PDB file of all heavy atoms in Angstrom:
ATOM      1  N   LEU B   1    -152.278 -49.949 -73.354  1.00 96.00           N
ATOM      2  CA  LEU B   1    -153.036 -51.240 -73.342  1.00 96.00           C
ATOM      3  C   LEU B   1    -153.031 -52.044 -74.689  1.00 96.00           C
ATOM      4  O   LEU B   1    -153.104 -53.201 -74.714  1.00 96.00           O
ATOM      5  CB  LEU B   1    -154.438 -51.088 -72.873  1.00 96.00           C
ATOM      6  CG  LEU B   1    -154.618 -50.418 -71.449  1.00 96.00           C
ATOM      7  CD1 LEU B   1    -156.026 -49.983 -71.204  1.00 96.00           C
ATOM      8  CD2 LEU B   1    -154.055 -51.430 -70.388  1.00 96.00           C
ATOM      9  N   GLY B   2    -152.842 -51.211 -75.842  1.00 98.00           N
ATOM     10  CA  GLY B   2    -152.752 -51.937 -76.972  1.00 98.00           C
ATOM     11  C   GLY B   2    -151.576 -52.794 -77.166  1.00 98.00           C
ATOM     12  O   GLY B   2    -151.403 -53.840 -77.757  1.00 98.00           O
ATOM     13  N   THR B   3    -150.361 -52.408 -76.457  1.00 98.00           N
ATOM     14  CA  THR B   3    -149.132 -53.055 -76.395  1.00 98.00           C
ATOM     15  C   THR B   3    -149.191 -54.270 -75.501  1.00 98.00           C
ATOM     16  O   THR B   3    -148.675 -55.361 -75.870  1.00 98.00           O
ATOM     17  CB  THR B   3    -148.119 -52.028 -75.958  1.00 98.00           C
ATOM     18  OG1 THR B   3    -147.847 -51.012 -76.977  1.00 98.00           O
ATOM     19  CG2 THR B   3    -146.784 -52.710 -75.875  1.00 98.00           C
ATOM     20  N   THR B   4    -149.721 -54.001 -74.323  1.00 98.00           N
ATOM     21  CA  THR B   4    -149.806 -55.053 -73.297  1.00 98.00           C
ATOM     22  C   THR B   4    -150.632 -56.230 -73.863  1.00 98.00           C
ATOM     23  O   THR B   4    -150.414 -57.435 -73.610  1.00 98.00           O
ATOM     24  CB  THR B   4    -150.245 -54.619 -71.998  1.00 98.00           C
ATOM     25  OG1 THR B   4    -151.558 -54.032 -71.992  1.00 98.00           O
ATOM     26  CG2 THR B   4    -149.303 -53.591 -71.302  1.00 98.00           C
ATOM     27  N   ALA B   5    -151.736 -55.847 -74.476  1.00 98.00           N
ATOM     28  CA  ALA B   5    -152.688 -56.847 -74.993  1.00 98.00           C
ATOM     29  C   ALA B   5    -152.052 -57.621 -76.182  1.00 98.00           C
ATOM     30  O   ALA B   5    -152.094 -58.987 -76.125  1.00 98.00           O
ATOM     31  CB  ALA B   5    -153.926 -56.320 -75.586  1.00 98.00           C
ATOM     32  N   ALA B   6    -151.243 -57.004 -76.940  1.00 98.00           N
ATOM     33  CA  ALA B   6    -150.609 -57.617 -78.092  1.00 98.00           C
ATOM     34  C   ALA B   6    -149.432 -58.474 -77.532  1.00 98.00           C
ATOM     35  O   ALA B   6    -149.065 -59.590 -78.111  1.00 98.00           O
ATOM     36  CB  ALA B   6    -150.016 -56.618 -79.015  1.00 98.00           C
ATOM     37  N   ALA B   7    -148.723 -58.045 -76.444  1.00 98.00           N
ATOM     38  CA  ALA B   7    -147.674 -58.783 -75.951  1.00 98.00           C
ATOM     39  C   ALA B   7    -148.184 -60.053 -75.299  1.00 98.00           C
ATOM     40  O   ALA B   7    -147.602 -61.176 -75.464  1.00 98.00           O
ATOM     41  CB  ALA B   7    -146.920 -58.096 -74.860  1.00 98.00           C
ATOM     42  N   LYS B   8    -149.358 -59.922 -74.667  1.00 98.00           N
ATOM     43  CA  LYS B   8    -149.908 -61.085 -74.088  1.00 98.00           C
ATOM     44  C   LYS B   8    -150.351 -62.267 -75.140  1.00 98.00           C
ATOM     45  O   LYS B   8    -150.224 -63.374 -74.952  1.00 98.00           O
ATOM     46  CB  LYS B   8    -151.255 -60.735 -73.368  1.00 98.00           C
ATOM     47  CG  LYS B   8    -151.968 -61.847 -72.531  1.00 98.00           C
ATOM     48  CD  LYS B   8    -153.175 -61.229 -71.731  1.00 98.00           C
ATOM     49  CE  LYS B   8    -153.891 -62.398 -71.005  1.00 98.00           C
ATOM     50  NZ  LYS B   8    -155.076 -61.885 -70.308  1.00 98.00           N
ATOM     51  N   ALA B   9    -150.961 -61.546 -76.225  1.00 98.00           N
ATOM     52  CA  ALA B   9    -151.275 -62.518 -77.392  1.00 98.00           C
ATOM     53  C   ALA B   9    -150.052 -63.103 -78.089  1.00 98.00           C
ATOM     54  O   ALA B   9    -150.265 -64.149 -78.850  1.00 98.00           O
ATOM     55  CB  ALA B   9    -152.163 -61.808 -78.351  1.00 98.00           C
ATOM     56  N   SER B  10    -148.892 -62.649 -77.955  1.00 97.00           N
ATOM     57  CA  SER B  10    -147.708 -62.946 -78.681  1.00 97.00           C
ATOM     58  C   SER B  10    -147.196 -64.375 -78.120  1.00 97.00           C
ATOM     59  O   SER B  10    -146.248 -64.901 -78.693  1.00 97.00           O
ATOM     60  CB  SER B  10    -146.600 -61.898 -78.626  1.00 97.00           C
ATOM     61  OG  SER B  10    -145.965 -61.912 -77.299  1.00 97.00           O
ATOM     62  N   GLY B  11    -147.695 -64.824 -77.002  1.00 94.00           N
ATOM     63  CA  GLY B  11    -147.234 -66.012 -76.457  1.00 94.00           C
ATOM     64  C   GLY B  11    -145.786 -66.005 -75.898  1.00 94.00           C
ATOM     65  O   GLY B  11    -145.104 -67.102 -76.103  1.00 94.00           O
ATOM     66  N   GLY B  12    -145.319 -64.860 -75.394  1.00 96.00           N
ATOM     67  CA  GLY B  12    -144.068 -64.744 -74.894  1.00 96.00           C
ATOM     68  C   GLY B  12    -143.012 -64.208 -75.831  1.00 96.00           C
ATOM     69  O   GLY B  12    -141.794 -64.135 -75.452  1.00 96.00           O
ATOM     70  N   LYS B  13    -143.352 -63.905 -77.092  1.00 98.00           N
ATOM     71  CA  LYS B  13    -142.379 -63.283 -78.008  1.00 98.00           C
ATOM     72  C   LYS B  13    -141.879 -62.035 -77.445  1.00 98.00           C
ATOM     73  O   LYS B  13    -140.554 -61.758 -77.610  1.00 98.00           O
ATOM     74  CB  LYS B  13    -143.102 -63.022 -79.408  1.00 98.00           C
ATOM     75  CG  LYS B  13    -142.163 -62.472 -80.425  1.00 98.00           C
ATOM     76  CD  LYS B  13    -142.850 -62.176 -81.758  1.00 98.00           C
ATOM     77  CE  LYS B  13    -141.902 -61.470 -82.662  1.00 98.00           C
ATOM     78  NZ  LYS B  13    -142.550 -61.099 -83.985  1.00 98.00           N
ATOM     79  N   TYR B  14    -142.667 -61.268 -76.764  1.00 98.00           N
ATOM     80  CA  TYR B  14    -142.126 -59.981 -76.104  1.00 98.00           C
ATOM     81  C   TYR B  14    -142.975 -59.738 -74.928  1.00 98.00           C
ATOM     82  O   TYR B  14    -144.127 -60.262 -74.824  1.00 98.00           O
ATOM     83  CB  TYR B  14    -142.058 -58.751 -77.084  1.00 98.00           C
ATOM     84  CG  TYR B  14    -143.369 -58.296 -77.597  1.00 98.00           C
ATOM     85  CD1 TYR B  14    -143.921 -57.124 -77.056  1.00 98.00           C
ATOM     86  CD2 TYR B  14    -144.019 -58.929 -78.554  1.00 98.00           C
ATOM     87  CE1 TYR B  14    -145.139 -56.658 -77.505  1.00 98.00           C
ATOM     88  CE2 TYR B  14    -145.160 -58.415 -79.193  1.00 98.00           C
ATOM     89  CZ  TYR B  14    -145.678 -57.213 -78.595  1.00 98.00           C
ATOM     90  OH  TYR B  14    -146.948 -56.797 -79.105  1.00 98.00           O
ATOM     91  N   SER B  15    -142.513 -58.921 -74.015  1.00 98.00           N
ATOM     92  CA  SER B  15    -143.198 -58.584 -72.744  1.00 98.00           C
ATOM     93  C   SER B  15    -143.019 -57.017 -72.721  1.00 98.00           C
ATOM     94  O   SER B  15    -142.469 -56.418 -73.443  1.00 98.00           O
ATOM     95  CB  SER B  15    -142.643 -59.331 -71.617  1.00 98.00           C
ATOM     96  OG  SER B  15    -141.317 -59.174 -71.550  1.00 98.00           O
ATOM     97  N   THR B  16    -143.653 -56.608 -71.502  1.00 98.00           N
ATOM     98  CA  THR B  16    -143.787 -55.170 -71.379  1.00 98.00           C
ATOM     99  C   THR B  16    -143.542 -54.787 -69.906  1.00 98.00           C
ATOM    100  O   THR B  16    -143.385 -55.567 -68.985  1.00 98.00           O
ATOM    101  CB  THR B  16    -145.228 -54.673 -71.645  1.00 98.00           C
ATOM    102  OG1 THR B  16    -146.142 -55.267 -70.567  1.00 98.00           O
ATOM    103  CG2 THR B  16    -145.774 -55.073 -72.977  1.00 98.00           C
ATOM    104  N   ILE B  17    -143.217 -53.459 -69.694  1.00 98.00           N
ATOM    105  CA  ILE B  17    -143.139 -52.836 -68.399  1.00 98.00           C
ATOM    106  C   ILE B  17    -144.264 -51.761 -68.477  1.00 98.00           C
ATOM    107  O   ILE B  17    -144.296 -50.904 -69.420  1.00 98.00           O
ATOM    108  CB  ILE B  17    -141.781 -52.241 -68.189  1.00 98.00           C
ATOM    109  CG1 ILE B  17    -140.824 -53.348 -67.967  1.00 98.00           C
ATOM    110  CG2 ILE B  17    -141.777 -51.294 -67.021  1.00 98.00           C
ATOM    111  CD1 ILE B  17    -139.410 -52.943 -67.857  1.00 98.00           C
ATOM    112  N   TRP B  18    -145.128 -51.824 -67.546  1.00 97.00           N
ATOM    113  CA  TRP B  18    -146.213 -50.764 -67.308  1.00 97.00           C
ATOM    114  C   TRP B  18    -145.824 -49.587 -66.622  1.00 97.00           C
ATOM    115  O   TRP B  18    -144.630 -49.661 -65.921  1.00 97.00           O
ATOM    116  CB  TRP B  18    -147.420 -51.501 -66.699  1.00 97.00           C
ATOM    117  CG  TRP B  18    -148.786 -50.778 -66.868  1.00 97.00           C
ATOM    118  CD1 TRP B  18    -149.611 -50.292 -65.823  1.00 97.00           C
ATOM    119  CD2 TRP B  18    -149.432 -50.358 -68.100  1.00 97.00           C
ATOM    120  NE1 TRP B  18    -150.661 -49.715 -66.324  1.00 97.00           N
ATOM    121  CE2 TRP B  18    -150.530 -49.589 -67.703  1.00 97.00           C
ATOM    122  CE3 TRP B  18    -149.108 -50.582 -69.438  1.00 97.00           C
ATOM    123  CZ2 TRP B  18    -151.473 -49.125 -68.644  1.00 97.00           C
ATOM    124  CZ3 TRP B  18    -149.971 -49.961 -70.402  1.00 97.00           C
ATOM    125  CH2 TRP B  18    -151.168 -49.335 -70.010  1.00 97.00           C
ATOM    126  N   VAL B  19    -146.591 -48.533 -66.523  1.00 94.00           N
ATOM    127  CA  VAL B  19    -146.221 -47.318 -65.715  1.00 94.00           C
ATOM    128  C   VAL B  19    -147.538 -46.906 -64.915  1.00 94.00           C
ATOM    129  O   VAL B  19    -148.618 -47.200 -65.189  1.00 94.00           O
ATOM    130  CB  VAL B  19    -145.766 -46.295 -66.539  1.00 94.00           C
ATOM    131  CG1 VAL B  19    -144.435 -46.594 -67.357  1.00 94.00           C
ATOM    132  CG2 VAL B  19    -146.709 -45.672 -67.659  1.00 94.00           C
ATOM    133  N   ASP B  20    -147.137 -46.073 -63.919  1.00 90.00           N
ATOM    134  CA  ASP B  20    -148.190 -45.415 -63.127  1.00 90.00           C
ATOM    135  C   ASP B  20    -148.831 -46.300 -61.915  1.00 90.00           C
ATOM    136  O   ASP B  20    -148.605 -46.116 -60.879  1.00 90.00           O
ATOM    137  CB  ASP B  20    -149.231 -44.710 -63.949  1.00 90.00           C
ATOM    138  CG  ASP B  20    -148.812 -43.447 -64.657  1.00 90.00           C
ATOM    139  OD1 ASP B  20    -147.719 -42.932 -64.236  1.00 90.00           O
ATOM    140  OD2 ASP B  20    -149.387 -43.049 -65.673  1.00 90.00           O
ATOM    141  N   VAL B  21    -149.599 -47.259 -62.464  1.00 89.00           N
ATOM    142  CA  VAL B  21    -150.338 -48.123 -61.577  1.00 89.00           C
ATOM    143  C   VAL B  21    -150.044 -49.550 -61.807  1.00 89.00           C
ATOM    144  O   VAL B  21    -149.930 -49.940 -62.948  1.00 89.00           O
ATOM    145  CB  VAL B  21    -151.882 -48.065 -61.769  1.00 89.00           C
ATOM    146  CG1 VAL B  21    -152.591 -48.906 -60.742  1.00 89.00           C
ATOM    147  CG2 VAL B  21    -152.275 -46.596 -61.659  1.00 89.00           C
ATOM    148  N   ASP B  22    -149.624 -50.438 -60.802  1.00 94.00           N
ATOM    149  CA  ASP B  22    -149.343 -51.717 -60.995  1.00 94.00           C
ATOM    150  C   ASP B  22    -150.220 -52.384 -61.951  1.00 94.00           C
ATOM    151  O   ASP B  22    -151.429 -52.556 -61.877  1.00 94.00           O
ATOM    152  CB  ASP B  22    -149.419 -52.479 -59.634  1.00 94.00           C
ATOM    153  CG  ASP B  22    -148.830 -53.977 -59.561  1.00 94.00           C
ATOM    154  OD1 ASP B  22    -148.716 -54.533 -60.767  1.00 94.00           O
ATOM    155  OD2 ASP B  22    -148.532 -54.475 -58.523  1.00 94.00           O
ATOM    156  N   GLY B  23    -149.581 -52.805 -63.159  1.00 95.00           N
ATOM    157  CA  GLY B  23    -150.412 -53.321 -64.317  1.00 95.00           C
ATOM    158  C   GLY B  23    -151.018 -54.615 -63.921  1.00 95.00           C
ATOM    159  O   GLY B  23    -152.046 -54.966 -64.592  1.00 95.00           O
ATOM    160  N   CYS B  24    -150.628 -55.294 -62.953  1.00 96.00           N
ATOM    161  CA  CYS B  24    -151.182 -56.610 -62.651  1.00 96.00           C
ATOM    162  C   CYS B  24    -152.424 -56.461 -61.733  1.00 96.00           C
ATOM    163  O   CYS B  24    -153.251 -57.284 -61.596  1.00 96.00           O
ATOM    164  CB  CYS B  24    -150.093 -57.464 -61.958  1.00 96.00           C
ATOM    165  SG  CYS B  24    -149.021 -58.356 -63.039  1.00 96.00           S
ATOM    166  N   GLU B  25    -152.543 -55.226 -61.237  1.00 92.00           N
ATOM    167  CA  GLU B  25    -153.861 -54.840 -60.521  1.00 92.00           C
ATOM    168  C   GLU B  25    -154.843 -54.019 -61.311  1.00 92.00           C
ATOM    169  O   GLU B  25    -155.874 -53.788 -60.961  1.00 92.00           O
ATOM    170  CB  GLU B  25    -153.455 -54.122 -59.239  1.00 92.00           C
ATOM    171  CG  GLU B  25    -152.481 -55.076 -58.340  1.00 92.00           C
ATOM    172  CD  GLU B  25    -152.238 -54.385 -56.958  1.00 92.00           C
ATOM    173  OE1 GLU B  25    -152.659 -53.176 -56.706  1.00 92.00           O
ATOM    174  OE2 GLU B  25    -151.308 -54.956 -56.240  1.00 92.00           O
ATOM    175  N   SER B  26    -154.263 -53.446 -62.479  1.00 90.00           N
ATOM    176  CA  SER B  26    -155.100 -52.576 -63.089  1.00 90.00           C
ATOM    177  C   SER B  26    -155.381 -52.789 -64.495  1.00 90.00           C
ATOM    178  O   SER B  26    -156.201 -52.220 -65.250  1.00 90.00           O
ATOM    179  CB  SER B  26    -154.520 -51.087 -63.262  1.00 90.00           C
ATOM    180  OG  SER B  26    -153.193 -51.214 -63.855  1.00 90.00           O
ATOM    181  N   THR B  27    -154.741 -53.897 -65.067  1.00 93.00           N
ATOM    182  CA  THR B  27    -155.010 -54.341 -66.386  1.00 93.00           C
ATOM    183  C   THR B  27    -155.252 -55.953 -66.487  1.00 93.00           C
ATOM    184  O   THR B  27    -154.835 -56.559 -65.593  1.00 93.00           O
ATOM    185  CB  THR B  27    -153.829 -54.051 -67.448  1.00 93.00           C
ATOM    186  OG1 THR B  27    -152.833 -55.073 -67.330  1.00 93.00           O
ATOM    187  CG2 THR B  27    -153.200 -52.614 -67.141  1.00 93.00           C
ATOM    188  N   PRO B  28    -155.781 -56.339 -67.603  1.00 96.00           N
ATOM    189  CA  PRO B  28    -155.947 -57.846 -67.685  1.00 96.00           C
ATOM    190  C   PRO B  28    -154.714 -58.549 -68.198  1.00 96.00           C
ATOM    191  O   PRO B  28    -154.839 -59.769 -68.545  1.00 96.00           O
ATOM    192  CB  PRO B  28    -157.102 -58.042 -68.688  1.00 96.00           C
ATOM    193  CG  PRO B  28    -157.042 -56.843 -69.454  1.00 96.00           C
ATOM    194  CD  PRO B  28    -156.487 -55.694 -68.776  1.00 96.00           C
ATOM    195  N   ASP B  29    -153.577 -57.821 -68.371  1.00 97.00           N
ATOM    196  CA  ASP B  29    -152.378 -58.359 -69.106  1.00 97.00           C
ATOM    197  C   ASP B  29    -151.290 -58.696 -68.190  1.00 97.00           C
ATOM    198  O   ASP B  29    -150.145 -58.572 -68.697  1.00 97.00           O
ATOM    199  CB  ASP B  29    -152.075 -57.385 -70.347  1.00 97.00           C
ATOM    200  CG  ASP B  29    -153.309 -57.095 -71.195  1.00 97.00           C
ATOM    201  OD1 ASP B  29    -154.088 -57.985 -71.420  1.00 97.00           O
ATOM    202  OD2 ASP B  29    -153.463 -55.931 -71.541  1.00 97.00           O
ATOM    203  N   CYS B  30    -151.519 -59.060 -67.007  1.00 98.00           N
ATOM    204  CA  CYS B  30    -150.401 -59.331 -66.122  1.00 98.00           C
ATOM    205  C   CYS B  30    -149.356 -60.272 -66.609  1.00 98.00           C
ATOM    206  O   CYS B  30    -148.153 -60.124 -66.381  1.00 98.00           O
ATOM    207  CB  CYS B  30    -150.924 -59.749 -64.720  1.00 98.00           C
ATOM    208  SG  CYS B  30    -149.760 -60.132 -63.462  1.00 98.00           S
ATOM    209  N   SER B  31    -149.826 -61.331 -67.301  1.00 98.00           N
ATOM    210  CA  SER B  31    -148.856 -62.351 -67.799  1.00 98.00           C
ATOM    211  C   SER B  31    -147.667 -61.775 -68.755  1.00 98.00           C
ATOM    212  O   SER B  31    -146.717 -62.458 -69.043  1.00 98.00           O
ATOM    213  CB  SER B  31    -149.547 -63.552 -68.510  1.00 98.00           C
ATOM    214  OG  SER B  31    -150.334 -62.978 -69.537  1.00 98.00           O
TER     215      SER B  31
END
């Protein structure tokens, strides 16, 4: 979650692929 939050804050500089549970349903960092 430290990575997804930082990616979200980067404004599109980089993005992520989550694992286990759909990250758009389980984290606040879908974007």
Side-chain angles (χ1 to χ4, degrees):
L1 294 170
T3 297
T4 58
K8 184 178 179 181
S10 77
K13 180 182 177 184
Y14 65 102
S15 52
T16 66
I17 290 172
W18 193 240
V19 298
D20 289 338
V21 184
D22 189 336
C24 282
E25 297 181 8
S26 63
T27 83
D29 305 321
C30 182
S31 61

